[in-house]
């Protein structure tokens, strides 16, 4: 890592209050690299994000941003906008001479989730050498199920499964648990690395070469929304790339994505305890 040049990329929208703190965390965690660049792609902000990015670019060396303005009218579907914005940094990686010496690309969410990223976690990625992309692990349930593809753990689009189950069952809470929440397992920090066909989880490190001949796609042939990370990963895995979740690469704690999961578990525990008390009460009256 100390001999490598890193480029940290991310998308920025309505992050005026948080983006400086996010850059500081990433800068600290990636400080062991030979050189570090930042590139942010902004769009559709209405809170002064562009003004803040301009300020930050004057503070942090090698930090650039590209503002695409308002895209919602041209690209009304969210995943289409995400893919479009991500492909802007892909184009920069390929064509901008500023980044010709980059060895690794760090893709980071800039929405405040990466609160536990550390230099130790980043450096743990170099305890293995067989990966082409390395994904972070939260300190709690793994929440990014839509981006996850693993033959046993999460082999399909979780939301497509949820919609399918809803056609045949009106028990939507049960369908949601079966499709999404049941897959939110907690991976111990000392567990073995997990090879996947796709993942993300808010933070990932890629070998730069993966972006040379792949792009993000946010809509399927029918024009329906799909996870843009999965489409990129499908392309690189087909060409032989190996992708892993590194359990020691901790980036986040409990968050809004898992709040509903803990609520469901709490309700189920209460129901279980209530049933137990009812059985005990009935037995005592015999």
């Amino acid at each position: 890592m100390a001999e490598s040049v890193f480029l940290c990329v991310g998308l920025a929208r309505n992050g005026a209050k948080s983006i400086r703190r996010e850059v500081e965390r990433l800068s600290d965690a990636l400080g062991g690299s030979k050189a570090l660049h930042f590139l942010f792609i902004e769009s559709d902000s209405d809170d002064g994000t562009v003004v803040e990015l301009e300020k930050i670019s004057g503070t942090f060396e090698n930090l650039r941003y590209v503002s695409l303005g308002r895209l919602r009218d041209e690209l009304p579907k969210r995943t289409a906008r995400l893919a479009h914005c991500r492909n802007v940094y892909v184009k920069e990686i390929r064509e901008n001479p500023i980044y010709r010496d980059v060895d690794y690309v760090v893709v980071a969410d800039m929405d405040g989730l990466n609160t536990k990223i550390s230099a130790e976690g980043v450096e743990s990625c170099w305890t293995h050498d067989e990966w082409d992309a390395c994904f972070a692990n939260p300190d709690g349930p793994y929440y990014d199920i839509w981006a996850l593809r693993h033959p046993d753990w999460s082999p399909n689009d979780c939301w497509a499964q949820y919609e399918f189950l809803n056609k045949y069952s009106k028990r939507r809470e049960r369908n949601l648990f079966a499709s999404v929440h049941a897959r939110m397992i907690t991976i111990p920090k000392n567990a073995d690395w997990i090879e996947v066909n796709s993942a993300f989880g808010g933070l990932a490190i890629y070998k730069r070469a993966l972006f040379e001949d792949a792009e993000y796609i946010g809509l399927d042939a029918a024009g329906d929304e799909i996870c843009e990370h999965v489409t990129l990963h499908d392309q690189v895995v087909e060409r032989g790339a190996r992708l892993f979740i590194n359990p020691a690469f901790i980036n986040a704690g409990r968050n809004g994505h898992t709040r509903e999961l803990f609520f469901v578990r709490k309700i189920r525990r209460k129901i279980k305890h209530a049933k137990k008390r009812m059985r005990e009460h009935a037995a005592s009256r015999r």
Side-chain angles (χ1 to χ4, degrees), residues 126-151:
W126 277 266
T127 60
H128 291 63
D129 59 8
E130 67 268 31
W131 59 270
D132 295 288
C134 188
F135 304 103
N137 175 38
D139 183 16
Y142 191 91
Y143 67 88
D144 196 1
I145 304 302
W146 200 24
L148 179 66
R149 294 294 186 276
H150 180 279

PDB file of all heavy atoms in Angstrom, residues 126-151:
ATOM      1  N   TRP A 126      -4.434  -5.943   2.527  1.00  0.00           N
ATOM      2  CA  TRP A 126      -3.181  -6.435   1.947  1.00  0.00           C
ATOM      3  C   TRP A 126      -2.628  -7.648   2.697  1.00  0.00           C
ATOM      4  O   TRP A 126      -1.478  -8.021   2.515  1.00  0.00           O
ATOM      5  CB  TRP A 126      -2.168  -5.297   1.855  1.00  0.00           C
ATOM      6  CG  TRP A 126      -2.427  -4.502   0.609  1.00  0.00           C
ATOM      7  CD1 TRP A 126      -1.832  -4.663  -0.601  1.00  0.00           C
ATOM      8  CD2 TRP A 126      -3.393  -3.466   0.448  1.00  0.00           C
ATOM      9  NE1 TRP A 126      -2.375  -3.795  -1.512  1.00  0.00           N
ATOM     10  CE2 TRP A 126      -3.328  -3.042  -0.902  1.00  0.00           C
ATOM     11  CE3 TRP A 126      -4.310  -2.854   1.300  1.00  0.00           C
ATOM     12  CZ2 TRP A 126      -4.142  -2.035  -1.414  1.00  0.00           C
ATOM     13  CZ3 TRP A 126      -5.130  -1.847   0.788  1.00  0.00           C
ATOM     14  CH2 TRP A 126      -5.043  -1.455  -0.538  1.00  0.00           C
ATOM     15  N   THR A 127      -3.474  -8.262   3.515  1.00  0.00           N
ATOM     16  CA  THR A 127      -3.103  -9.550   4.103  1.00  0.00           C
ATOM     17  C   THR A 127      -3.392 -10.689   3.134  1.00  0.00           C
ATOM     18  O   THR A 127      -2.990 -11.816   3.367  1.00  0.00           O
ATOM     19  CB  THR A 127      -3.858  -9.799   5.417  1.00  0.00           C
ATOM     20  OG1 THR A 127      -5.276  -9.810   5.165  1.00  0.00           O
ATOM     21  CG2 THR A 127      -3.529  -8.716   6.435  1.00  0.00           C
ATOM     22  N   HIS A 128      -4.123 -10.396   2.049  1.00  0.00           N
ATOM     23  CA  HIS A 128      -4.388 -11.333   0.969  1.00  0.00           C
ATOM     24  C   HIS A 128      -3.959 -10.662  -0.331  1.00  0.00           C
ATOM     25  O   HIS A 128      -3.979  -9.439  -0.437  1.00  0.00           O
ATOM     26  CB  HIS A 128      -5.870 -11.700   0.880  1.00  0.00           C
ATOM     27  CG  HIS A 128      -6.359 -12.538   2.030  1.00  0.00           C
ATOM     28  ND1 HIS A 128      -6.364 -12.084   3.329  1.00  0.00           N
ATOM     29  CD2 HIS A 128      -6.869 -13.798   2.061  1.00  0.00           C
ATOM     30  CE1 HIS A 128      -6.851 -13.035   4.119  1.00  0.00           C
ATOM     31  NE2 HIS A 128      -7.164 -14.079   3.378  1.00  0.00           N
ATOM     32  N   ASP A 129      -3.615 -11.470  -1.309  1.00  0.00           N
ATOM     33  CA  ASP A 129      -3.158 -10.875  -2.562  1.00  0.00           C
ATOM     34  C   ASP A 129      -3.882 -11.404  -3.791  1.00  0.00           C
ATOM     35  O   ASP A 129      -3.504 -11.102  -4.922  1.00  0.00           O
ATOM     36  CB  ASP A 129      -1.649 -11.066  -2.733  1.00  0.00           C
ATOM     37  CG  ASP A 129      -1.242 -12.537  -2.720  1.00  0.00           C
ATOM     38  OD1 ASP A 129      -2.128 -13.421  -2.737  1.00  0.00           O
ATOM     39  OD2 ASP A 129      -0.026 -12.807  -2.702  1.00  0.00           O
ATOM     40  N   GLU A 130      -4.986 -12.152  -3.579  1.00  0.00           N
ATOM     41  CA  GLU A 130      -5.655 -12.756  -4.729  1.00  0.00           C
ATOM     42  C   GLU A 130      -6.838 -11.938  -5.218  1.00  0.00           C
ATOM     43  O   GLU A 130      -7.550 -12.343  -6.135  1.00  0.00           O
ATOM     44  CB  GLU A 130      -6.113 -14.187  -4.399  1.00  0.00           C
ATOM     45  CG  GLU A 130      -7.221 -14.281  -3.358  1.00  0.00           C
ATOM     46  CD  GLU A 130      -6.687 -14.433  -1.951  1.00  0.00           C
ATOM     47  OE1 GLU A 130      -5.599 -13.906  -1.668  1.00  0.00           O
ATOM     48  OE2 GLU A 130      -7.365 -15.073  -1.129  1.00  0.00           O
ATOM     49  N   TRP A 131      -7.092 -10.783  -4.636  1.00  0.00           N
ATOM     50  CA  TRP A 131      -8.298 -10.029  -4.975  1.00  0.00           C
ATOM     51  C   TRP A 131      -8.051  -8.977  -6.045  1.00  0.00           C
ATOM     52  O   TRP A 131      -6.966  -8.422  -6.163  1.00  0.00           O
ATOM     53  CB  TRP A 131      -8.894  -9.373  -3.731  1.00  0.00           C
ATOM     54  CG  TRP A 131      -7.984  -8.415  -2.985  1.00  0.00           C
ATOM     55  CD1 TRP A 131      -7.122  -8.715  -1.968  1.00  0.00           C
ATOM     56  CD2 TRP A 131      -7.858  -7.003  -3.204  1.00  0.00           C
ATOM     57  NE1 TRP A 131      -6.481  -7.584  -1.531  1.00  0.00           N
ATOM     58  CE2 TRP A 131      -6.921  -6.510  -2.261  1.00  0.00           C
ATOM     59  CE3 TRP A 131      -8.464  -6.104  -4.070  1.00  0.00           C
ATOM     60  CZ2 TRP A 131      -6.566  -5.167  -2.194  1.00  0.00           C
ATOM     61  CZ3 TRP A 131      -8.112  -4.758  -4.012  1.00  0.00           C
ATOM     62  CH2 TRP A 131      -7.164  -4.309  -3.075  1.00  0.00           C
ATOM     63  N   ASP A 132      -9.122  -8.725  -6.797  1.00  0.00           N
ATOM     64  CA  ASP A 132      -9.144  -7.607  -7.740  1.00  0.00           C
ATOM     65  C   ASP A 132     -10.020  -6.471  -7.216  1.00  0.00           C
ATOM     66  O   ASP A 132      -9.852  -5.323  -7.615  1.00  0.00           O
ATOM     67  CB  ASP A 132      -9.660  -8.071  -9.102  1.00  0.00           C
ATOM     68  CG  ASP A 132      -8.723  -9.070  -9.746  1.00  0.00           C
ATOM     69  OD1 ASP A 132      -7.636  -8.671 -10.186  1.00  0.00           O
ATOM     70  OD2 ASP A 132      -9.072 -10.267  -9.802  1.00  0.00           O
ATOM     71  N   ALA A 133     -10.969  -6.830  -6.343  1.00  0.00           N
ATOM     72  CA  ALA A 133     -11.777  -5.833  -5.645  1.00  0.00           C
ATOM     73  C   ALA A 133     -12.049  -6.344  -4.246  1.00  0.00           C
ATOM     74  O   ALA A 133     -12.276  -7.534  -4.034  1.00  0.00           O
ATOM     75  CB  ALA A 133     -13.091  -5.567  -6.380  1.00  0.00           C
ATOM     76  N   CYS A 134     -12.013  -5.427  -3.293  1.00  0.00           N
ATOM     77  CA  CYS A 134     -12.165  -5.773  -1.883  1.00  0.00           C
ATOM     78  C   CYS A 134     -13.240  -4.880  -1.282  1.00  0.00           C
ATOM     79  O   CYS A 134     -13.142  -3.649  -1.364  1.00  0.00           O
ATOM     80  CB  CYS A 134     -10.832  -5.560  -1.176  1.00  0.00           C
ATOM     81  SG  CYS A 134     -10.788  -6.155   0.515  1.00  0.00           S
ATOM     82  N   PHE A 135     -14.276  -5.483  -0.692  1.00  0.00           N
ATOM     83  CA  PHE A 135     -15.413  -4.737  -0.166  1.00  0.00           C
ATOM     84  C   PHE A 135     -15.406  -4.725   1.358  1.00  0.00           C
ATOM     85  O   PHE A 135     -15.009  -5.696   1.996  1.00  0.00           O
ATOM     86  CB  PHE A 135     -16.720  -5.357  -0.664  1.00  0.00           C
ATOM     87  CG  PHE A 135     -16.807  -5.449  -2.159  1.00  0.00           C
ATOM     88  CD1 PHE A 135     -16.601  -6.655  -2.799  1.00  0.00           C
ATOM     89  CD2 PHE A 135     -17.062  -4.324  -2.929  1.00  0.00           C
ATOM     90  CE1 PHE A 135     -16.653  -6.751  -4.175  1.00  0.00           C
ATOM     91  CE2 PHE A 135     -17.118  -4.405  -4.304  1.00  0.00           C
ATOM     92  CZ  PHE A 135     -16.913  -5.627  -4.938  1.00  0.00           C
ATOM     93  N   ALA A 136     -15.891  -3.622   1.921  1.00  0.00           N
ATOM     94  CA  ALA A 136     -15.903  -3.452   3.368  1.00  0.00           C
ATOM     95  C   ALA A 136     -17.025  -4.246   4.021  1.00  0.00           C
ATOM     96  O   ALA A 136     -17.953  -4.733   3.368  1.00  0.00           O
ATOM     97  CB  ALA A 136     -16.030  -1.974   3.706  1.00  0.00           C
ATOM     98  N   ASN A 137     -16.927  -4.347   5.339  1.00  0.00           N
ATOM     99  CA  ASN A 137     -17.871  -5.082   6.166  1.00  0.00           C
ATOM    100  C   ASN A 137     -18.331  -4.166   7.299  1.00  0.00           C
ATOM    101  O   ASN A 137     -17.507  -3.565   7.981  1.00  0.00           O
ATOM    102  CB  ASN A 137     -17.169  -6.319   6.750  1.00  0.00           C
ATOM    103  CG  ASN A 137     -18.034  -7.090   7.722  1.00  0.00           C
ATOM    104  OD1 ASN A 137     -19.239  -7.239   7.529  1.00  0.00           O
ATOM    105  ND2 ASN A 137     -17.423  -7.610   8.777  1.00  0.00           N
ATOM    106  N   PRO A 138     -19.638  -4.021   7.526  1.00  0.00           N
ATOM    107  CA  PRO A 138     -20.082  -3.180   8.637  1.00  0.00           C
ATOM    108  C   PRO A 138     -19.914  -3.876   9.978  1.00  0.00           C
ATOM    109  O   PRO A 138     -19.856  -5.112  10.050  1.00  0.00           O
ATOM    110  CB  PRO A 138     -21.565  -2.947   8.329  1.00  0.00           C
ATOM    111  CG  PRO A 138     -21.972  -4.175   7.575  1.00  0.00           C
ATOM    112  CD  PRO A 138     -20.768  -4.573   6.765  1.00  0.00           C
ATOM    113  N   ASP A 139     -19.843  -3.105  11.020  1.00  0.00           N
ATOM    114  CA  ASP A 139     -19.809  -3.640  12.378  1.00  0.00           C
ATOM    115  C   ASP A 139     -21.258  -3.863  12.822  1.00  0.00           C
ATOM    116  O   ASP A 139     -21.815  -3.121  13.610  1.00  0.00           O
ATOM    117  CB  ASP A 139     -19.106  -2.642  13.302  1.00  0.00           C
ATOM    118  CG  ASP A 139     -18.963  -3.174  14.719  1.00  0.00           C
ATOM    119  OD1 ASP A 139     -19.119  -4.392  14.911  1.00  0.00           O
ATOM    120  OD2 ASP A 139     -18.711  -2.369  15.632  1.00  0.00           O
ATOM    121  N   GLY A 140     -21.838  -4.915  12.291  1.00  0.00           N
ATOM    122  CA  GLY A 140     -23.252  -5.215  12.482  1.00  0.00           C
ATOM    123  C   GLY A 140     -23.760  -5.958  11.263  1.00  0.00           C
ATOM    124  O   GLY A 140     -22.969  -6.443  10.452  1.00  0.00           O
ATOM    125  N   PRO A 141     -25.065  -6.059  11.091  1.00  0.00           N
ATOM    126  CA  PRO A 141     -25.603  -6.799   9.945  1.00  0.00           C
ATOM    127  C   PRO A 141     -25.157  -6.213   8.610  1.00  0.00           C
ATOM    128  O   PRO A 141     -25.120  -4.993   8.442  1.00  0.00           O
ATOM    129  CB  PRO A 141     -27.124  -6.673  10.125  1.00  0.00           C
ATOM    130  CG  PRO A 141     -27.305  -6.407  11.576  1.00  0.00           C
ATOM    131  CD  PRO A 141     -26.122  -5.591  12.000  1.00  0.00           C
ATOM    132  N   TYR A 142     -24.840  -7.098   7.675  1.00  0.00           N
ATOM    133  CA  TYR A 142     -24.470  -6.654   6.329  1.00  0.00           C
ATOM    134  C   TYR A 142     -25.742  -6.164   5.642  1.00  0.00           C
ATOM    135  O   TYR A 142     -26.677  -6.927   5.436  1.00  0.00           O
ATOM    136  CB  TYR A 142     -23.823  -7.791   5.539  1.00  0.00           C
ATOM    137  CG  TYR A 142     -23.189  -7.307   4.258  1.00  0.00           C
ATOM    138  CD1 TYR A 142     -21.860  -6.913   4.241  1.00  0.00           C
ATOM    139  CD2 TYR A 142     -23.930  -7.207   3.085  1.00  0.00           C
ATOM    140  CE1 TYR A 142     -21.272  -6.429   3.074  1.00  0.00           C
ATOM    141  CE2 TYR A 142     -23.358  -6.729   1.927  1.00  0.00           C
ATOM    142  CZ  TYR A 142     -22.033  -6.342   1.919  1.00  0.00           C
ATOM    143  OH  TYR A 142     -21.458  -5.849   0.780  1.00  0.00           O
ATOM    144  N   TYR A 143     -25.774  -4.886   5.290  1.00  0.00           N
ATOM    145  CA  TYR A 143     -27.036  -4.268   4.889  1.00  0.00           C
ATOM    146  C   TYR A 143     -27.239  -4.126   3.385  1.00  0.00           C
ATOM    147  O   TYR A 143     -28.380  -4.044   2.904  1.00  0.00           O
ATOM    148  CB  TYR A 143     -27.155  -2.881   5.528  1.00  0.00           C
ATOM    149  CG  TYR A 143     -26.143  -1.889   5.018  1.00  0.00           C
ATOM    150  CD1 TYR A 143     -26.384  -1.119   3.895  1.00  0.00           C
ATOM    151  CD2 TYR A 143     -24.923  -1.718   5.673  1.00  0.00           C
ATOM    152  CE1 TYR A 143     -25.452  -0.221   3.425  1.00  0.00           C
ATOM    153  CE2 TYR A 143     -23.982  -0.815   5.213  1.00  0.00           C
ATOM    154  CZ  TYR A 143     -24.250  -0.071   4.090  1.00  0.00           C
ATOM    155  OH  TYR A 143     -23.314   0.818   3.621  1.00  0.00           O
ATOM    156  N   ASP A 144     -26.161  -4.083   2.589  1.00  0.00           N
ATOM    157  CA  ASP A 144     -26.295  -3.731   1.168  1.00  0.00           C
ATOM    158  C   ASP A 144     -26.651  -4.970   0.342  1.00  0.00           C
ATOM    159  O   ASP A 144     -25.873  -5.422  -0.499  1.00  0.00           O
ATOM    160  CB  ASP A 144     -25.006  -3.092   0.666  1.00  0.00           C
ATOM    161  CG  ASP A 144     -25.208  -2.355  -0.652  1.00  0.00           C
ATOM    162  OD1 ASP A 144     -26.346  -2.335  -1.153  1.00  0.00           O
ATOM    163  OD2 ASP A 144     -24.226  -1.796  -1.178  1.00  0.00           O
ATOM    164  N   ILE A 145     -27.847  -5.479   0.550  1.00  0.00           N
ATOM    165  CA  ILE A 145     -28.248  -6.741  -0.069  1.00  0.00           C
ATOM    166  C   ILE A 145     -28.529  -6.573  -1.559  1.00  0.00           C
ATOM    167  O   ILE A 145     -28.323  -7.503  -2.337  1.00  0.00           O
ATOM    168  CB  ILE A 145     -29.481  -7.323   0.651  1.00  0.00           C
ATOM    169  CG1 ILE A 145     -29.191  -7.479   2.156  1.00  0.00           C
ATOM    170  CG2 ILE A 145     -29.878  -8.667   0.057  1.00  0.00           C
ATOM    171  CD1 ILE A 145     -27.996  -8.352   2.463  1.00  0.00           C
ATOM    172  N   TRP A 146     -28.999  -5.406  -1.979  1.00  0.00           N
ATOM    173  CA  TRP A 146     -29.298  -5.218  -3.396  1.00  0.00           C
ATOM    174  C   TRP A 146     -28.048  -5.358  -4.259  1.00  0.00           C
ATOM    175  O   TRP A 146     -28.103  -5.873  -5.373  1.00  0.00           O
ATOM    176  CB  TRP A 146     -29.940  -3.843  -3.622  1.00  0.00           C
ATOM    177  CG  TRP A 146     -30.691  -3.741  -4.919  1.00  0.00           C
ATOM    178  CD1 TRP A 146     -31.228  -4.764  -5.645  1.00  0.00           C
ATOM    179  CD2 TRP A 146     -30.999  -2.552  -5.648  1.00  0.00           C
ATOM    180  NE1 TRP A 146     -31.861  -4.294  -6.757  1.00  0.00           N
ATOM    181  CE2 TRP A 146     -31.732  -2.926  -6.788  1.00  0.00           C
ATOM    182  CE3 TRP A 146     -30.736  -1.204  -5.427  1.00  0.00           C
ATOM    183  CZ2 TRP A 146     -32.206  -2.001  -7.726  1.00  0.00           C
ATOM    184  CZ3 TRP A 146     -31.218  -0.285  -6.344  1.00  0.00           C
ATOM    185  CH2 TRP A 146     -31.941  -0.679  -7.485  1.00  0.00           C
ATOM    186  N   ALA A 147     -26.901  -4.917  -3.745  1.00  0.00           N
ATOM    187  CA  ALA A 147     -25.650  -5.003  -4.497  1.00  0.00           C
ATOM    188  C   ALA A 147     -24.964  -6.352  -4.343  1.00  0.00           C
ATOM    189  O   ALA A 147     -23.972  -6.622  -5.026  1.00  0.00           O
ATOM    190  CB  ALA A 147     -24.690  -3.899  -4.056  1.00  0.00           C
ATOM    191  N   LEU A 148     -25.487  -7.189  -3.459  1.00  0.00           N
ATOM    192  CA  LEU A 148     -24.816  -8.456  -3.114  1.00  0.00           C
ATOM    193  C   LEU A 148     -25.248  -9.586  -4.041  1.00  0.00           C
ATOM    194  O   LEU A 148     -26.432  -9.790  -4.293  1.00  0.00           O
ATOM    195  CB  LEU A 148     -25.164  -8.819  -1.676  1.00  0.00           C
ATOM    196  CG  LEU A 148     -24.580 -10.123  -1.124  1.00  0.00           C
ATOM    197  CD1 LEU A 148     -23.057 -10.036  -1.026  1.00  0.00           C
ATOM    198  CD2 LEU A 148     -25.192 -10.440   0.226  1.00  0.00           C
ATOM    199  N   ARG A 149     -24.249 -10.325  -4.519  1.00  0.00           N
ATOM    200  CA  ARG A 149     -24.516 -11.557  -5.255  1.00  0.00           C
ATOM    201  C   ARG A 149     -23.528 -12.621  -4.789  1.00  0.00           C
ATOM    202  O   ARG A 149     -22.303 -12.448  -4.879  1.00  0.00           O
ATOM    203  CB  ARG A 149     -24.374 -11.363  -6.769  1.00  0.00           C
ATOM    204  CG  ARG A 149     -25.401 -10.435  -7.384  1.00  0.00           C
ATOM    205  CD  ARG A 149     -26.823 -10.970  -7.325  1.00  0.00           C
ATOM    206  NE  ARG A 149     -27.732 -10.111  -8.054  1.00  0.00           N
ATOM    207  CZ  ARG A 149     -28.309  -9.012  -7.565  1.00  0.00           C
ATOM    208  NH1 ARG A 149     -28.047  -8.658  -6.309  1.00  0.00           N
ATOM    209  NH2 ARG A 149     -29.115  -8.277  -8.304  1.00  0.00           N
ATOM    210  N   HIS A 150     -24.082 -13.706  -4.263  1.00  0.00           N
ATOM    211  CA  HIS A 150     -23.301 -14.852  -3.804  1.00  0.00           C
ATOM    212  C   HIS A 150     -24.169 -16.083  -4.062  1.00  0.00           C
ATOM    213  O   HIS A 150     -25.366 -16.057  -3.765  1.00  0.00           O
ATOM    214  CB  HIS A 150     -22.984 -14.717  -2.313  1.00  0.00           C
ATOM    215  CG  HIS A 150     -22.181 -15.844  -1.750  1.00  0.00           C
ATOM    216  ND1 HIS A 150     -22.740 -17.052  -1.374  1.00  0.00           N
ATOM    217  CD2 HIS A 150     -20.847 -15.956  -1.493  1.00  0.00           C
ATOM    218  CE1 HIS A 150     -21.803 -17.850  -0.910  1.00  0.00           C
ATOM    219  NE2 HIS A 150     -20.644 -17.209  -0.975  1.00  0.00           N
ATOM    220  N   PRO A 151     -23.618 -17.165  -4.601  1.00  0.00           N
ATOM    221  CA  PRO A 151     -24.456 -18.302  -5.017  1.00  0.00           C
ATOM    222  C   PRO A 151     -25.307 -18.907  -3.916  1.00  0.00           C
ATOM    223  O   PRO A 151     -26.394 -19.442  -4.192  1.00  0.00           O
ATOM    224  CB  PRO A 151     -23.432 -19.311  -5.567  1.00  0.00           C
ATOM    225  CG  PRO A 151     -22.103 -18.864  -5.045  1.00  0.00           C
ATOM    226  CD  PRO A 151     -22.193 -17.387  -4.901  1.00  0.00           C
TER     227      PRO A 151
END
